[in-house]
Amino acid sequence: MAFLPEEIIRNILVRLPVKTLIRSRCVCKHWRNLIRSPSFISDHLHHSSTHRNPSVLLQRRNHLWLLDCKMRPHEVNISPLLDSPNTFQIVGSSNGLLCVRIGRYSEFYPSLLLWNPATREVRQLPPNTPNAKGVHLPLSIGFGFSPVINDYKVVITYHYLKVINFDPVYPFYPLLVLVYSLSSGLCKKIEFGVKDVVLGYESVTVNGIMFWSGRRRNPDVKTYYYAIVSFDIANELFTLIPTPDWSTSTSRLTMYENKLAVLSFFATQDSESLIELWVMEDGSGASWGKKYSSCLIPSVVRPVMTIWMNQIVCDGSKWERYQEPKITLLNISANELKVFNISKCGRGTGCGFILHHTESLVPIGE
Amino acid sequence: MSSSVEAITVLSSDGDEFKITVSAAKLSKPLNWMLEDVCFSDDCDEVPTIEVNSKTLVKVIEYCEKHAPRANSGASDSDAEELKKWDIEFMKMDVKDILFHILMAANYLHMEGLYDLACQTAADLMKGMTVSQIRKIFHIKNDFSSEEQEQLRRQHPGCSFD
């Protein structure tokens, strides 16, 4: 019988799914300590994200599904997340951790959780009730990891409008921003520092930089332009990123080939539309390149959050009652549409909210 | 090394002689170094020993001979597909008896492809195993105290320890 050296044991364990690793922690003390060690957790994450077929997480109402590369849904157990019937929204995913807001969308101070669905660890963020006057708009939440400081941060931005004579007055008031760090467990207030910009509700993190889509006011006229704001998770600075003019389109932020990318959606006549993929070639936004332009596609097909295995993930559902929910994948290299019926993942219109997700052992701690 | 040599002879740790073609031997870095060494020149009759037992060496050489044409010339997609199927069949072997020996041999002979394949095979086998089955195949002694074991049972309610 061969007694395997540690190096080989490690190389076998790193290929296991989280479920089997959790079981393997019970084999002996040495394995338990090995599987718990930060270097193993990081090797395992690296192996999973480079060798496994990436999966996406789909939220439809109060259910979560992991879709594998063949679009087969596997329901995710959400019991650690919700004790009582409540509604939740996944707002971000990073290295196997999810940031979840509990409560209705209109709630100004929802409770926020960090959750690792694979290990079932949950941590509640400290309650956030910044004392500020004005009318709120729904808040935007970003979640991401910075390899520079080896830390995860949640960024919560509160929008306030100044109200004069019962009318909201533009420009938007400077944002109030709270940042929570997973390693310190503390929440603190920081400066937004970017003028005349209001952030949208979606953000994406690429290489330790969080990007938000938003709107920027033209100082001369009361019009608004599409804008992208970056947030460096390490030094906590916001910066306005120059973009090409997509003012006539709907845009979504995503990641493509490890760079920030924008999916622009143009409606044309005859119920057809066009999707373009733009990639930010440098870190500052000085150079953008158009990587892909689709053929004319039915206008019912709209891009959702992400690009997955070289395919733009789109909603393919007709937003009418009794229509079956569908996901349409638009292959970038082949310029081909593939439609998947997802009625297995529950009823209701629209395909739901989709984001990248890799199962990991990353701990959430105390 | 003389270019006329097409196959070389090596000894297993059990002392048996094995022939391996030069192109197949190139899949292993240490064997490749040996090839460039004087050992295999025409006027040398010393046969090098590979620290791998005969049973394992047979399998390792079988793998090398199968993979050598592709590794040396590159292959089409259909060949790669065929090779993948062959790998799956090749890896259908007893874990304790031979798979772990293959793992050690692939590690010792720096054969990345075979090493990855064997690690993945071992990992796939572990997925369906209980904790005690894993202990058994890896020859690991349960060193948790009964209190710790009780605690583990509480922490892993769905987990089978037997």
Side-chain angles (χ1 to χ4, degrees):
Chain A
M1 165 60 214
F3 286 93
L4 296 176
E6 162 139 356
E7 188 199 338
I8 296 181
I9 298 273
R10 222 184 142 94
N11 252 305
I12 296 172
L13 294 182
V14 94
R15 292 155 204 268
L16 288 171
V18 175
K19 199 175 143 192
T20 317
L21 281 173
I22 289 173
R23 193 187 311 146
S24 302
R25 288 199 296 223
C26 306
V27 167
C28 64
K29 286 180 183 169
H30 181 65
W31 278 32
R32 179 190 62 186
N33 296 341
L34 172 71
I35 295 167
R36 273 186 189 166
S37 70
S39 73
F40 179 81
I41 292 173
S42 141
D43 286 354
H44 177 258
L45 178 66
H46 180 75
H47 191 275
S48 307
S49 38
T50 49
H51 288 74
R52 278 171 188 273
N53 283 320
S55 50
V56 282
L57 193 72
L58 168 72
Q59 176 173 7
R60 290 179 48 75
R61 300 201 176 169
N62 267 9
H63 291 274
L64 283 182
W65 308 83
L66 264 181
L67 301 179
D68 63 24
C69 57
K70 297 204 166 94
M71 294 296 284
R72 286 175 301 216
H74 307 270
E75 184 150 22
V76 178
N77 182 351
I78 57 160
S79 56
L81 195 63
L82 293 174
D83 301 330
S84 55
N86 204 334
T87 154
F88 70 92
Q89 176 70 49
I90 306 292
V91 292
S93 167
S94 179
N95 295 349
L97 302 187
L98 297 174
C99 181
V100 190
R101 63 182 283 172
I102 306 288
R104 300 203 166 278
Y105 202 62
S106 53
E107 228 160 273
F108 296 137
Y109 305 119
S111 50
L112 291 172
L113 302 175
L114 289 181
W115 176 43
N116 183 331
T119 64
R120 301 185 168 200
E121 283 185 318
V122 183
R123 191 206 276 204
Q124 181 147 20
L125 268 59
N128 44 81
T129 46
N131 184 20
K133 287 174 187 164
V135 175
H136 322 260
L137 291 176
L139 45 85
S140 347
I141 300 158
F143 172 58
F145 173 74
S146 166
V148 178
I149 51 168
N150 195 27
D151 194 9
Y152 296 82
K153 285 184 183 171
V154 179
V155 179
I156 312 150
T157 65
Y158 298 84
H159 299 91
Y160 290 89
L161 300 181
K162 195 178 186 180
V163 177
I164 297 171
N165 297 334
F166 304 104
D167 280 329
V169 173
Y170 294 85
F172 294 96
Y173 244 50
L175 290 164
L176 180 66
V177 185
L178 292 179
V179 176
Y180 172 81
S181 138
L182 180 63
S183 67
S184 76
L186 297 173
C187 213
K188 66 174 176 186
K189 203 170 135 180
I190 61 159
E191 286 297 315
F192 182 53
V194 179
K195 273 191 174 171
D196 298 326
V197 169
V198 61
L199 298 183
Y201 311 126
E202 47 173 283
S203 81
V204 59
T205 301
V206 184
N207 303 328
I209 313 285
M210 215 178 267
F211 293 93
W212 307 71
S213 62
R215 281 179 296 151
R216 179 166 162 243
R217 190 181 72 112
N218 184 327
D220 308 321
V221 265
K222 277 190 180 177
T223 51
Y224 287 83
Y225 293 117
Y226 182 76
I228 295 175
V229 173
S230 70
F231 173 78
D232 188 325
I233 296 173
N235 66 22
E236 302 187 340
L237 288 176
F238 287 95
T239 314
L240 185 67
I241 300 281
T243 63
D245 182 19
W246 294 301
S247 50
T248 55
S249 64
T250 313
S251 299
R252 294 262 185 211
L253 292 185
T254 182
M255 189 167 80
Y256 184 69
E257 292 174 344
N258 222 17
K259 288 174 185 163
L260 177 73
V262 174
L263 287 169
S264 284
F265 173 81
F266 301 90
T268 62
Q269 289 165 345
D270 307 322
S271 51
E272 283 179 317
S273 55
L274 186 75
I275 296 171
E276 285 181 355
L277 171 67
W278 290 76
V279 172
M280 186 170 84
E281 300 289 2
D282 62 339
S284 67
S287 155
W288 287 82
K290 186 156 81 174
K291 285 283 139 126
Y292 166 74
S293 183
S294 75
C295 50
L296 286 177
I297 50 176
S299 62
V300 65
V301 175
R302 290 172 160 272
V304 285
M305 300 304 179
T306 198
I307 297 177
W308 180 33
M309 298 191 295
N310 213 33
Q311 303 168 111
I312 299 171
V313 182
C314 301
D315 193 344
S317 323
K318 286 194 175 129
W319 282 70
E320 292 161 19
R321 285 186 81 175
Y322 311 117
Q323 290 285 341
E324 286 180 325
K326 285 172 192 148
I327 287 179
T328 305
L329 298 178
L330 176 57
N331 191 306
I332 293 175
S333 342
N335 219 349
E336 232 173 41
L337 281 177
K338 261 190 202 161
V339 183
F340 294 88
N341 191 314
I342 49 161
S343 17
K344 260 190 194 166
C345 309
R347 300 171 64 83
T349 44
C351 81
F353 183 74
I354 287 177
L355 29 78
H356 280 266
H357 185 69
T358 312
E359 282 199 328
S360 82
L361 286 163
V362 172
I364 291 182
E366 291 310 310
Chain B
M1 193 192 95
S2 155
S3 58
S4 62
V5 177
E6 279 173 3
I8 53 171
T9 307
V10 291
L11 283 178
S12 73
S13 58
D14 310 322
D16 297 323
E17 275 194 9
F18 289 93
K19 278 223 179 299
I20 177 166
T21 62
V22 168
S23 65
K26 280 184 177 160
L27 259 64
S28 153
K29 273 183 203 144
L31 282 181
N32 209 13
W33 294 328
M34 281 190 201
L35 282 176
E36 287 159 10
D37 206 357
V38 282
C39 285
F40 294 109
S41 61
D42 292 342
D43 54 345
C44 178
D45 36 64
E46 194 191 327
V47 181
T49 305
I50 308 286
E51 285 305 325
V52 173
N53 68 31
S54 300
K55 201 174 165 187
T56 312
L57 196 55
V58 171
K59 294 293 273 182
V60 171
I61 292 174
E62 186 189 345
Y63 177 90
C64 288
E65 300 290 357
K66 182 74 190 177
H67 277 256
R70 182 172 174 258
N72 294 331
S73 65
S76 64
D77 286 353
S78 63
D79 284 354
E81 208 48 50
E82 197 264 341
L83 209 53
K84 237 182 191 173
K85 278 186 195 149
W86 185 88
D87 281 351
I88 293 168
E89 283 303 312
F90 176 73
M91 276 294 149
K92 283 182 183 163
M93 55 178 81
D94 187 80
V95 188
K96 271 196 289 181
D97 210 26
I98 182 94
L99 179 60
F100 284 180
H101 285 279
I102 297 247
L103 262 171
M104 305 261 275
N107 190 33
Y108 158 67
L109 293 170
H110 293 245
M111 293 173 56
E112 210 179 311
L114 181 60
Y115 183 60
D116 279 347
L117 180 65
C119 281
Q120 191 57 53
T121 308
D124 289 342
L125 283 167
M126 280 176 73
K127 282 179 198 167
M129 285 183 180
T130 65
V131 173
S132 57
Q133 281 170 328
I134 295 174
R135 279 187 199 127
K136 209 170 164 191
I137 65 155
F138 283 91
H139 269 225
I140 292 171
K141 215 174 146 260
N142 176 10
D143 58 356
F144 290 113
S145 68
S146 49
E147 290 88 48
E148 285 171 320
Q149 197 136 322
E150 214 25 69
Q151 199 186 348
L152 286 172
R153 272 178 210 279
R154 278 199 303 276
Q155 284 167 355
H156 304 274
C159 193
S160 162
F161 287 84
D162 307 311

